[in-house]
Amino acid sequence: MGYDDYLAGEPVIITAALTGGVHGKEANPAIPETPAEIGEAAAAAEAAGAAVVHLHARRDTGERAFSTERFQAVTDAVRERTDDVIIQHSTGGTGAPLSVRRQPLQTDPAPEIASLDMGPLNRYDHLTSENPRGMVDELYDEMSERGIKPELEVFNDGHLNEVGGLLERRDLEEPVYATLIFGGGTLSPPHPRNLLNAIENLPEGALFNTLGFGPHQLPLTTMGLLVGGHVRVGLEDNVYYRRGDLAESNAQLVARTARLAAELERPVATPAQARTILEL
Amino acid sequence: MSCPYLEYRSSGDGREFDTERPFCTVLERFVQPMRADICAGRYALEHGRDCEIYREHVGGGGD
């Protein structure tokens, strides 16, 4: 993927990260938390142009939940309210053990895609999401057994090495699909040159998705559009629409991305087109 | 063991919620969902080890 794909007018897959597990309504009251709220948000995001919804689950209190039962409630609510959107479950979970991390993979039906963190990242001052290779392999193996495509989450450039290592250890189906993530802490520094550098270091033939945290969501996803990549937006990654103004909804962020894509003459992929691109 | 400074409240910090949410009485505000895992001691997390706010509050801050 690259600038040639932009020039060729290749469709862009917009992923909407609806809720996440790090912040909640205390950060933005529009963040959906209950299964019904997440389902409604998914439907609105799909209508605005999202082909994929990236899902987390929450407890009634808004806190993180990993259980299959809670993910089942969320995924059922999304399927009830959406037409054809692709469902992606998160397997991320700082502090949570493997037995907990694999539960989002065990819904019926299985999600078509699931995230797979490529290595460690820091949270707060005394907490690291370790993601050791053994855990990565175990999660990958469960995805493989259930026919779930892994979305390789690359939080920094070192994780590009880990993508290479996973490809050596496991026989991933093509196309490899990686999300390049930019922000603070142990994430890749959010700068356009670092997006270009990360793209250069992807395995040959890999597809990529661009994810910028906070104020970097708009510029880096716009750049992702220009260099032929796919993009992820949503309240999980960014609670503002513009400086000082909280976003009204996930759909608002998706709609802006779809408008940008249209202005830049890249068609927005339908879920069916996204399935073809990702070979789901 | 839950953090002794954790409470579940439905209002505070200028906000009201339908369902009670984790509230840090040290910070006097609602805590983020993932921080609540530390507050509540889930997944072998411990407020005394993993929460810099608690550590600083009880005088054990710093590394």
Side-chain angles (χ1 to χ4, degrees):
Chain A
M1 296 177 76
Y3 186 52
D4 287 347
D5 294 293
Y6 164 69
L7 293 174
E10 291 295 321
V12 55
I13 299 168
I14 300 176
T15 294
L18 302 176
T19 184
V22 176
H23 48 260
K25 290 186 188 295
E26 80 288 344
N28 184 333
I31 291 178
E33 292 181 343
T34 66
E37 288 175 343
I38 295 170
E40 296 292 341
E46 182 184 33
V52 180
V53 287
H54 174 80
L55 302 178
H56 291 245
R58 303 294 190 105
R59 297 164 186 257
D60 290 340
T61 53
E63 296 159 58
R64 298 189 305 174
F66 299 97
S67 71
T68 302
E69 292 74 16
R70 199 65 178 179
F71 264 87
Q72 189 70 54
V74 171
T75 204
D76 287 348
V78 170
R79 288 180 195 280
E80 284 169 10
R81 292 166 173 80
T82 55
D83 291 327
D84 192 33
V85 79
I86 296 167
I87 288 179
Q88 176 184 115
H89 286 178
S90 168
T91 65
T94 304
L98 175 62
S99 60
V100 169
R101 299 275 296 273
R102 66 197 328 159
Q103 291 192 37
L105 302 174
Q106 296 167 353
T107 57
D108 182 21
E112 289 178 86
I113 314 178
S115 65
L116 183 59
D117 295 355
M118 285 291 96
L121 62 146
N122 286 350
R123 301 275 195 198
Y124 312 135
D125 287 354
H126 296 278
L127 196 55
T128 296
S129 185
E130 294 178 327
N131 298 310
R133 288 175 188 151
M135 178 183 281
V136 172
D137 289 352
E138 293 263 7
L139 289 170
Y140 170 78
D141 289 343
E142 183 143 355
M143 291 182 200
S144 183
E145 287 167 13
R146 301 214 69 201
I148 302 167
K149 187 174 187 70
E151 174 247 353
L152 310 181
E153 299 218 331
V154 175
F155 288 92
N156 56 54
D157 285 357
H159 291 178
L160 290 163
N161 295 329
E162 294 297 311
V163 170
L166 181 63
L167 289 172
E168 289 178 3
R169 299 192 303 275
R170 294 294 189 274
D171 186 21
L172 270 69
E173 288 185 15
E174 294 181 350
V176 171
Y177 183 47
T179 295
L180 306 173
I181 305 170
F182 300 87
T186 47
L187 277 59
S188 288
H191 194 283
R193 63 175 171 261
N194 294 333
L195 174 58
L196 295 176
N197 184 64
I199 295 167
E200 285 294 312
N201 284 290
L202 282 168
E204 189 171 345
L207 305 181
F208 71 90
N209 189 27
T210 303
L211 190 172
F213 277 4
H216 306 289
Q217 184 170 92
L218 176 62
L220 288 179
T221 55
T222 302
M223 188 172 170
L225 292 170
L226 286 170
V227 291
H230 305 295
V231 299
R232 168 172 144 175
V233 296
L235 295 173
E236 172 176 349
D237 306 327
N238 166 39
V239 296
Y240 288 94
Y241 188 75
R242 62 174 67 86
R243 187 180 299 274
D245 291 340
L246 290 174
E248 294 172 2
S249 65
N250 282 288
Q252 184 189 31
L253 297 169
V254 172
R256 175 167 66 180
T257 307
R259 286 198 305 274
L260 284 166
E263 288 290 340
L264 296 171
E265 301 189 7
R266 276 196 76 184
V268 175
T270 64
Q273 287 174 314
R275 287 187 180 90
T276 299
I277 293 167
L278 298 174
E279 298 189 29
L280 299 180
Chain B
M1 188 180 84
S2 291
C3 176
Y5 302 105
L6 175 69
E7 289 183 4
Y8 281 80
R9 297 183 184 176
S10 55
S11 64
D13 192 24
R15 297 259 174 93
E16 290 196 9
F17 298 108
D18 294 337
T19 304
E20 289 193 329
R21 303 173 66 86
F23 187 90
C24 176
T25 58
V26 173
L27 292 178
E28 283 297 313
R29 62 174 183 253
F30 292 103
V31 299
Q32 294 179 313
M34 206 182 82
R35 271 199 184 275
D37 288 343
I38 303 173
C39 303
R42 299 190 187 103
Y43 316 120
L45 298 172
E46 297 177 15
H47 54 272
R49 184 189 61 203
D50 299 316
C51 178
E52 63 273 17
I53 299 158
Y54 175 85
R55 288 159 62 100
E56 186 174 343
H57 180 69
V58 298
D63 291 306

